[in-house]
Amino acid sequence: QLKRGLHAVSFRVAKNGVKGNLIGLRVAEESRTGVPARASVHYGLLGVVPGETPLAPREVAGNLLKRFVSKAFRRPAGQAEVDRFMGLYDRGSVRGDPFEECVKLALKGVLISPDFLYRIERPAKSERIELLDDYEIASRLSYFLWSTMPDDELFGLAEAGRLRDPKILIGQVDRML
């Protein structure tokens, strides 16, 4: 079993201790698409059947990363942030890696980013007390009560700017408890 990449392999046939001719060798990548559940998850994440490349792979990867980065960073992702991770996708693409491997490289970059690993809040603009934004409220609330990231409902309320409403905040705390 060889790792992905270029490898020089040669064999010589020997009969009775005498070196013979070079023989040919064909190497093929084994497909792992046999598990239907895995194929379903793969399609749900990437929008393509395992092993296939979408018609516009860079565009599909960009859309996927935009959603993933926003979810991983627990706030809307800026285009500059997405472009930074698309650089990793492009690096794999230039090497000739399959679509899935290029996306995987970009996702790894997101998952080792400090914005994913730590709960980073925006720095204060002055020494005065400042209100938290809705995404910070959602993160603090979910990590305090659930020890995990906000769910889709909290993200939706943060996006709509409704978590500062005391009635909605109390309702979310009741729901989470």
Side-chain angles (χ1 to χ4, degrees):
Q1 204 173 23
L2 299 173
K3 291 185 179 181
R4 184 176 303 279
L6 299 176
H7 301 278
V9 180
S10 62
F11 297 95
R12 291 210 180 260
V13 178
K15 272 189 179 175
N16 299 329
V18 178
K19 289 184 180 176
N21 296 330
L22 186 64
I23 62 170
L25 173 69
R26 181 171 179 230
V27 178
E29 185 175 355
E30 185 178 307
S31 174
R32 298 184 202 177
T33 60
V35 181
R38 179 179 276 172
S40 170
V41 169
H42 186 281
Y43 187 82
L45 289 172
L46 300 178
V48 293
V49 176
E52 285 187 4
T53 302
L55 296 175
R58 193 170 196 289
E59 184 180 331
V60 170
N63 292 336
L64 172 96
L65 278 172
K66 177 86 171 161
R67 287 189 314 272
F68 188 78
V69 171
S70 294
K71 194 87 152 173
F73 290 1
R74 298 163 298 276
R75 59 175 171 71
Q79 191 58 46
E81 291 173 314
V82 175
D83 290 343
R84 190 174 81 216
F85 297 110
M86 282 302 293
L88 293 170
Y89 171 87
D90 292 336
R91 182 178 293 178
S93 183
V94 166
R95 280 192 316 228
D97 290 351
F99 174 72
E100 290 94 345
E101 292 299 319
C102 297
V103 170
K104 192 163 131 182
L105 183 61
L107 294 177
K108 284 180 184 179
V110 173
L111 295 176
I112 64 169
S113 170
D115 287 298
F116 171 70
L117 296 173
Y118 304 105
R119 195 175 51 83
I120 297 176
E121 296 175 358
R122 60 187 160 86
K125 295 176 185 154
S126 69
E127 295 201 16
R128 296 175 50 194
I129 294 175
E130 297 178 11
L131 294 175
L132 298 173
D133 71 23
D134 287 82
Y135 290 97
E136 291 168 335
I137 292 171
S139 285
R140 284 186 178 197
L141 188 61
S142 67
Y143 280 100
F144 178 69
L145 294 176
W146 288 343
S147 298
T148 190
M149 66 185 294
D151 64 356
D152 289 335
E153 187 170 338
L154 278 174
F155 274 131
L157 289 168
E159 184 177 2
R162 299 181 58 206
L163 278 179
R164 291 187 199 185
D165 180 345
K167 289 180 183 177
I168 289 180
L169 189 58
I170 289 169
Q172 288 302 306
V173 170
D174 288 342
R175 175 183 72 89
M176 295 169 76
L177 290 173

